Amino acid sequence: MKIEFVPENLSIPFPQANDVYKVLKFVDVHVANYHHDKFSFIKDDYVERQKKYYKAAAEYIGFFDSKGPTPFAQKIFLMDTNYLFLSTVQAILNHKIFFDYYSNRSKTQVQDQLIKHYKYSLSTAIRRSSTVQKWIEWCDIIIQENNVEVNYGD
């Protein structure tokens, strides 16, 4: 899997939805509900505030924009689940802050980047770094299950 960093869009809030499956289910419902059976185990009984978190997380990784699901999301959410998961891993790791944590597992470095780029307080950076950790734990599982090699650059 080739990783190519995307520029950080600081106008999109940094994700605070720790459960990647809930983000995927949120997008799937808005695309075509193609993966309904596979996501049926995911509870979506969250409050309105949490829906905003999942939408913002979907925007951050390129699945949503101001109009709804992006063409990228419309494409990958109609593919098989494995392709969807691998595409999601790649979309996450294309963000340098996530790739850096994937590579070195330093929450302190994540927190420093969040403070520097997003101007978060230390307490907010600590909370957001838990999202990075949870998403990378999810990515680790998908990468391992598919025996994928992750490469940055050439």
Side-chain angles (χ1 to χ4, degrees), residues 15-16 18 111 121-132:
Q16 54 184 323
N18 286 0
Q111 293 161 11
S121 67
L122 178 59
S123 62
T124 300
I126 289 169
R127 288 194 310 276
R128 297 300 180 275
S129 70
S130 72
T131 297
V132 174

Side-chain angles (χ1 to χ4, degrees), residues 78-150:
L78 295 177
M79 301 293 189
D80 68 76
T81 307
N82 202 50
Y83 184 88
L84 169 63
F85 287 176
L86 287 171
S87 296
T88 301
V89 168
Q90 188 172 29
I92 291 169
L93 293 179
N94 282 341
H95 289 270
K96 189 174 184 325
I97 194 167
F98 283 88
F99 183 81
D100 286 349
Y101 183 77
Y102 172 78
S103 299
N104 64 33
R105 307 299 162 135
S106 171
K107 284 181 85 170
T108 303
Q109 183 180 355
V110 169
Q111 293 161 11
D112 290 345
Q113 289 180 38
L114 290 169
I115 290 168
K116 179 181 175 183
H117 298 295
Y118 285 87
K119 309 299 185 217
Y120 287 147
S121 67
L122 178 59
S123 62
T124 300
I126 289 169
R127 288 194 310 276
R128 297 300 180 275
S129 70
S130 72
T131 297
V132 174
Q133 179 183 6
K134 294 296 184 188
W135 284 22
I136 295 303
E137 287 172 3
W138 181 85
C139 290
D140 285 339
I141 293 166
I142 304 305
I143 290 166
Q144 184 177 22
E145 286 178 352
N146 290 278
N147 196 26
V148 172
E149 185 177 323
V150 176

